[in-house]
Amino acid sequence: MKLYKGLVAAIVEALQEIFVKHRQADRIVEQLLKSNKKWGARDRAFIAENTYEIVRWWRLVKYAAEVEKASYSEDLWRIAGVWMIIKTHHIHGENFEILPEWPEFEGINADSVEERYQEGLLIRKIAQSLPDWLDDLGESELGSQWSEQLVALNRPAPIVLRVNTLKSSADEVKGILGAENLMEVAQNSNALILKKRQNMHNNDAFKQGFFEIQDAGSQMIAPYLDINPGMSIIDACAGAGGKSLHIAALLQNSGSVLSMDIDDPKLGELKKRALRNGVTNLETMHIESEEIITTLSETADRLLLDVPCSGLGVLKRNPDTKWKLKPDFLTNIRNVQWNILSTYSGMVKKGGKMVYATCSILPSESEEQVKKFMKSRRKDWKFISEYRTSVSEVGFDGFYMALLERKK
């Protein structure tokens, strides 16, 4: 593996932004890849892949590099060099070639790196690269399942497409992209996995709205609402609207979809996506106060509450989340979840249904919130079912969903 200094320097720059300036990894990588028009596709792939993998294995690589706190440029260069040793030997299975004789790599000894790496693999929180407090929390909530979930969450996420049935079909998308380049997802004919990672946002079929990029676990949530054409549906934590678009497709552009969120710019992005998808039954509403929720009392046949959460179920695609999370955030977000569930549920008509969903693997954000709700609202609500996608079993993101019915 030949290293080019300009590309490694770009990785170091990204790490500085992510870990020293505490910026989001996906935004940094996106901005960085646009900064140099001379980089080709392979160069960009090298920068993105290695940046994300170092972020994913940050604690293990720091341990192998004998860097306690990476605050300076020289620390980040050392970490990048040590990662190249680990990647070459343990991921690619190749004999390691000596690092280039760059001043930034001076003092890195491959034998010492290997010794420290093997030591780190014996300690779960180092081997799986996460903070002490998060390892303790996961074990306390998931017990023996925590270790296997961690291993699965540290595998890179596949790119999954959701066929937009308003404009296309699975067979048509296969014909355009090549069936040999795609894998089907069991029990979901409209979910297709790309065999080889590539940027699909510039693909003509994507620009025409034939498909969206949406994890297979996420694609299970909209159907869980038990939707029939003609219904009035509210997606109350819509964000940029991936699930709203799926709901509109399931409605076959009949009925209505009201996509709500406290983040108005995200709703603006949803409007653009809806236009591309050929969605005509969707409106957006900015939640400026809880009075808006009151005005919509008993108006929805179906309500989706895909609530804000820790994001621990989607670490495969957002590995920097585990370094940005703090214990106080989890306490606060559980309070937010409860407020949304207990307040927004009033928008469901009597006889209507609601799905409470999270992209967290923690029961305290998911099952326990639903149990608490049912305990306090048993007279008015009926618990129908719940489902959790297993990251370790299926390899997709970790989602929880519960279906509740408001009694007539």
Side-chain angles (χ1 to χ4, degrees):
M1 178 177 66
K2 185 174 181 180
L3 298 181
Y4 296 90
K5 196 166 188 179
L7 301 184
V8 178
I11 294 169
V12 170
E13 180 184 342
L15 296 176
Q16 179 119 15
E17 293 290 324
I18 295 165
F19 288 106
V20 179
K21 298 183 181 179
H22 307 292
R23 298 182 63 191
Q24 282 185 243
D26 56 348
R27 293 180 182 176
I28 290 304
V29 172
E30 182 182 2
Q31 291 171 9
L32 187 62
L33 296 183
K34 292 178 180 178
S35 66
N36 190 330
K37 295 181 179 180
K38 293 182 180 180
W39 286 333
R42 291 182 65 181
D43 298 333
R44 297 172 195 276
F46 177 85
I47 294 168
E49 177 186 326
N50 284 284
T51 298
Y52 277 117
E53 289 303 289
I54 293 173
V55 171
R56 191 182 308 280
W57 300 109
W58 181 244
R59 186 169 185 178
L60 178 59
V61 180
K62 279 205 309 174
Y63 186 85
E66 298 184 74
V67 173
E68 183 67 26
K69 186 177 181 180
S71 302
Y72 303 101
S73 178
E74 52 264 36
D75 298 325
L76 298 172
W77 273 96
R78 181 176 178 85
I79 285 169
V82 167
W83 166 247
M84 297 303 165
I85 294 174
I86 293 171
K87 177 181 178 179
T88 304
H89 185 60
H90 292 282
I91 297 178
H92 287 179
E94 302 171 2
N95 290 326
F96 176 72
E97 297 179 8
I98 298 173
L99 286 172
E101 294 183 0
W102 301 339
E104 294 85 354
F105 287 163
E106 188 177 351
I108 298 177
N109 181 279
D111 292 335
S112 298
V113 168
E114 176 65 16
E115 184 178 342
R116 291 277 295 184
Y117 177 80
Q118 293 298 334
E119 286 177 10
L121 291 181
L122 300 176
I123 307 167
R124 183 178 62 195
K125 58 192 176 184
I126 296 176
Q128 297 302 325
S129 278
L130 72 164
D132 289 2
W133 72 268
L134 189 52
D135 188 41
D136 294 339
L137 176 65
E139 185 171 41
S140 69
E141 290 209 23
L142 295 173
S144 60
Q145 295 180 21
W146 176 235
S147 291
E148 63 183 30
Q149 294 296 330
L150 273 178
V151 172
L153 286 167
N154 271 325
R155 297 190 183 109
I159 297 177
V160 186
L161 313 181
R162 178 183 61 78
V163 176
N164 176 21
T165 54
L166 295 176
K167 281 194 168 185
S168 189
S169 67
D171 287 341
E172 189 172 1
V173 172
K174 288 177 187 176
I176 294 170
L177 301 181
E180 70 279 4
N181 299 318
L182 301 164
M183 293 188 296
E184 295 182 354
V185 175
Q187 300 178 333
N188 185 352
S189 59
N190 290 317
L192 302 171
I193 306 171
L194 283 177
K195 291 183 179 179
K196 185 178 180 181
R197 299 188 68 85
Q198 53 186 299
N199 184 353
M200 300 303 293
H201 289 95
N202 294 324
N203 185 280
D204 287 340
F206 174 79
K207 292 178 179 179
Q208 294 174 55
F210 286 7
F211 61 82
E212 284 290 319
I213 299 166
Q214 185 177 5
D215 182 78
S218 176
Q219 290 188 42
M220 297 182 70
I221 292 176
Y224 208 68
L225 277 164
D226 187 22
I227 292 171
N228 292 313
M231 285 184 170
S232 171
I233 300 181
I234 296 177
D235 181 1
C237 307
K243 298 175 185 70
S244 289
L245 298 175
H246 195 183
I247 290 168
L250 293 174
L251 284 173
Q252 301 169 28
N253 258 343
S254 67
S256 66
V257 182
L258 178 59
S259 302
M260 308 172 69
D261 204 272
I262 61 172
D263 191 334
D264 201 31
K266 286 185 177 180
L267 294 176
E269 177 63 24
L270 170 54
K271 290 177 183 178
K272 297 176 185 177
R273 297 176 71 187
L275 183 63
R276 187 180 71 240
N277 276 249
V279 171
T280 58
N281 64 341
L282 185 148
E283 293 184 4
T284 63
M285 181 180 290
H286 181 212
I287 303 174
E288 297 179 287
S289 70
E290 287 195 358
E291 291 178 6
I292 291 174
I293 306 302
T294 304
T295 63
L296 293 169
S297 178
E298 298 189 25
T299 59
D301 294 308
R302 299 288 186 268
L303 171 66
L304 173 58
L305 298 179
D306 182 23
V307 297
C309 69
S310 64
L312 289 175
V314 292
L315 289 179
K316 295 167 77 72
R317 64 189 69 255
N318 298 317
D320 57 324
T321 296
K322 56 188 174 182
W323 308 118
K324 291 180 168 53
L325 271 181
K326 303 297 178 188
D328 288 349
F329 173 84
L330 274 171
T331 300
N332 293 334
I333 206 65
R334 291 188 194 108
N335 292 332
V336 170
Q337 292 165 352
W338 174 250
N339 182 60
I340 291 173
L341 178 55
S342 59
T343 304
Y344 288 25
S345 55
M347 293 189 288
V348 181
K349 295 176 181 177
K350 289 182 173 65
K353 296 177 182 178
M354 168 178 70
V355 164
Y356 174 85
T358 70
C359 57
S360 173
I361 59 174
L362 298 180
S364 62
E365 296 183 79
S366 312
E367 289 93 340
E368 291 177 17
Q369 296 281 37
V370 172
K371 288 177 183 176
K372 180 181 176 182
F373 179 81
M374 287 306 302
K375 186 176 181 180
S376 65
R377 307 292 177 90
R378 193 171 301 277
K379 291 182 180 180
D380 302 317
W381 287 85
K382 175 185 176 183
F383 175 85
I384 298 177
S385 62
E386 64 183 353
Y387 184 77
R388 180 177 281 288
T389 61
S390 172
V391 185
S392 60
E393 290 179 11
V394 298
F396 303 120
D397 290 342
F399 281 90
Y400 169 82
M401 59 206 83
L403 180 64
L404 311 177
E405 182 176 7
R406 190 170 186 178
K407 295 179 182 179
K408 293 182 179 179

